[in-house]
Amino acid sequence: MENTVLKEGNMDKYINQAKTLLEALPYIQQFNNKIVVIKYGGSAMIDEDLKKSVIKDITMMKMVGMKPVVVHGGGKKISETLAKMGKESVFLDGLRVTDDETMEIAEMVLSGNINKGIVQMFHEQGIPAVGISGKDANTIIAEKKMPEGKDIGWVGEIQKVNPELMLTLMEEGFVPVIAPIATDEHHHTYNINADYVASAVGVALKAEKVVYLTDVEGVLRNINDPDSVLSRIAVEDVDRLIDNKVIQGGMIPKLQNCKKSILEGVNRVHILDGRQEHCLLLELFTNSGIGTMIYKSEE
Ligand SMILES: Nc1ncnc2c1ncn2[C@@H]1O[C@H](COP(=O)(O)OP(=O)(O)OP(=O)(O)O)[C@@H](O)[C@H]1O
Ligand SMILES: [Mg+2]
């Protein structure tokens, strides 16, 4: 008797599990075979458990038929490494001023340590991944960026994304993991804020979505109030929010690039809190509105 009760209890649990799975079906159908670019912010990559949760979410996306592409940053780790070497990090509107030595360290941290660390985590989940930087197969071609005429060193402006290598990798079942380093026709090395890379890669791959994972709840109206998340921002409002200084620092390139992606044909762009466990699955497979969505106002 006791056994039967237990079994029935279990059956309810399993039926509920099956129902939960089925709730995701429309989303799985909608995104089947679609490319989703995930910008993984350096700031959200510090905690080991959270890192694992993000990689597991992306594993799930891949296993249900999406084509994820990961673009990673690494600002915090670069700053830490520079500090260990007694070098201070200098930023101009969220962009790292990059002299020769900083470039060398940034490439080492991004293309080496962080990129291969992410690849390894995918392999731990049984997902084949290949880590490249924008240098590989000339995937990202840049030229020197001069914001408002100012020379900030080896900071690149993306000229072109050659999507062939990423497409080949995806065709063969690999998840491409991209470090935000680029080259130019003279074979110089450039450091590019990963937000620009995510946007340009999303456009070049005709991605369905670009999702920026960062270390805040979303775009905040008041940076000191985590409850002030703006859940939707129209592209037309982005410049005003920057001019009014509502958006500062690392959020500036992020929003500029969200705007760019939308205007250049990416369907959906989101900024999510990478510290929130399973934020990607919540965003993709449920209709819970988390983080900030950037949209074209005719929507
Ligand atoms: N209005 C705002 N709302 C939210 N965050 C803001 C705002 N204005 C400025 N920020 C800052 O932007 C930061 C996010 O950008 P940041 O460049 O530090 O991280 P990331 O882009 O996720 O990582 P990485 O640069 O390593 O790729 C937040 O931690 C916050 O301090
Ligand atoms: Mg940033």
Side-chain angles (χ1 to χ4, degrees):
M1 186 66 191
E2 219 178 303
N3 259 347
T4 325
V5 172
L6 237 178
K7 258 193 192 159
E8 276 171 8
N10 276 345
M11 197 49 114
D12 278 353
K13 185 180 130 202
Y14 292 131
I15 288 173
N16 279 334
Q17 268 181 10
K19 281 186 181 158
T20 306
L21 274 172
L22 274 176
E23 275 169 29
L25 185 58
Y27 303 100
I28 294 174
Q29 284 172 323
Q30 184 186 345
F31 296 121
N32 190 37
N33 248 334
K34 297 271 164 61
I35 295 175
V36 179
V37 175
I38 300 125
K39 153 69 202 307
Y40 194 11
S43 316
M45 294 191 301
I46 307 295
D47 183 279
E48 285 303 316
D49 289 340
L50 275 178
K51 261 205 279 192
K52 234 181 227 159
S53 134
V54 168
I55 300 293
K56 274 201 174 149
D57 283 12
I58 302 174
T59 299
M60 179 75 158
M61 290 164 64
K62 170 95 166 82
M63 294 317 288
V64 299
M66 293 184 199
K67 293 178 170 172
V69 175
V70 177
V71 174
H72 63 83
K76 295 236 156 109
K77 192 93 194 223
I78 297 170
S79 297
E80 268 173 35
T81 312
L82 285 168
K84 274 186 204 154
M85 296 171 150
K87 225 172 143 66
E88 206 189 316
S89 294
V90 184
F91 291 92
L92 182 78
D93 288 340
L95 299 176
R96 180 182 297 279
V97 178
T98 308
D99 63 12
D100 289 353
E101 196 182 18
T102 303
M103 186 62 251
E104 213 173 291
I105 291 164
E107 185 172 30
M108 190 175 90
V109 170
L110 292 168
S111 297
N113 187 290
I114 296 182
N115 188 276
K116 301 311 167 202
I118 295 175
V119 167
Q120 184 181 323
M121 291 187 84
F122 275 116
H123 289 167
E124 283 165 13
Q125 297 301 323
I127 292 289
V130 174
I132 63 169
S133 88
K135 276 187 177 177
D136 292 281
N138 286 328
T139 295
I140 305 169
I141 304 295
E143 67 176 18
K144 192 179 171 81
K145 191 178 177 83
M146 299 275 279
E148 288 159 26
K150 287 182 205 131
D151 186 345
I152 53 170
W154 294 112
V155 175
E157 172 108 49
I158 300 177
Q159 291 304 299
K160 190 166 189 256
V161 173
N162 293 310
E164 292 78 16
L165 176 58
M166 293 182 286
L167 291 169
T168 307
L169 289 173
M170 281 189 278
E171 240 159 65
E172 297 296 325
F174 294 102
V175 174
V177 179
I178 323 287
I181 299 285
T183 189
D184 67 7
E185 56 187 8
H186 305 294
H187 312 290
H188 290 131
T189 304
Y190 290 93
N191 173 26
I192 299 188
N193 181 298
D195 297 342
Y196 290 84
V197 176
S199 160
V201 161
V203 171
L205 291 174
K206 301 188 173 59
E208 175 70 16
K209 259 187 204 256
V210 180
V211 184
Y212 292 83
L213 298 185
T214 185
D215 65 344
V216 272
E217 289 73 9
V219 180
L220 303 171
R221 176 167 292 288
N222 169 2
I223 193 174
N224 298 315
D225 177 6
D227 291 329
S228 68
V229 176
L230 296 164
S231 54
R232 290 161 63 87
I233 297 178
V235 283
E236 293 77 9
D237 292 335
V238 166
D239 293 342
R240 187 177 47 83
L241 288 167
I242 295 173
D243 290 344
N244 293 349
K245 307 245 183 296
V246 170
I247 292 157
Q248 299 174 19
M251 203 45 87
I252 297 175
K254 213 175 297 303
L255 270 175
Q256 285 171 335
N257 281 289
C258 288
K259 176 179 168 182
K260 194 163 180 287
S261 317
I262 289 280
L263 295 179
E264 293 180 15
V266 174
N267 254 341
R268 290 269 179 220
V269 179
H270 294 267
I271 297 174
L272 302 182
D273 188 352
R275 304 165 307 171
Q276 148 109 57
E277 210 182 352
H278 302 308
C279 60
L280 275 169
L281 296 188
L282 285 171
E283 206 303 298
L284 287 160
F285 297 117
T286 73
N287 51 18
S288 73
I290 53 166
T292 300
M293 183 182 99
I294 319 299
Y295 68 101
K296 254 205 238 165
S297 55
E298 59 261 32
E299 273 182 33

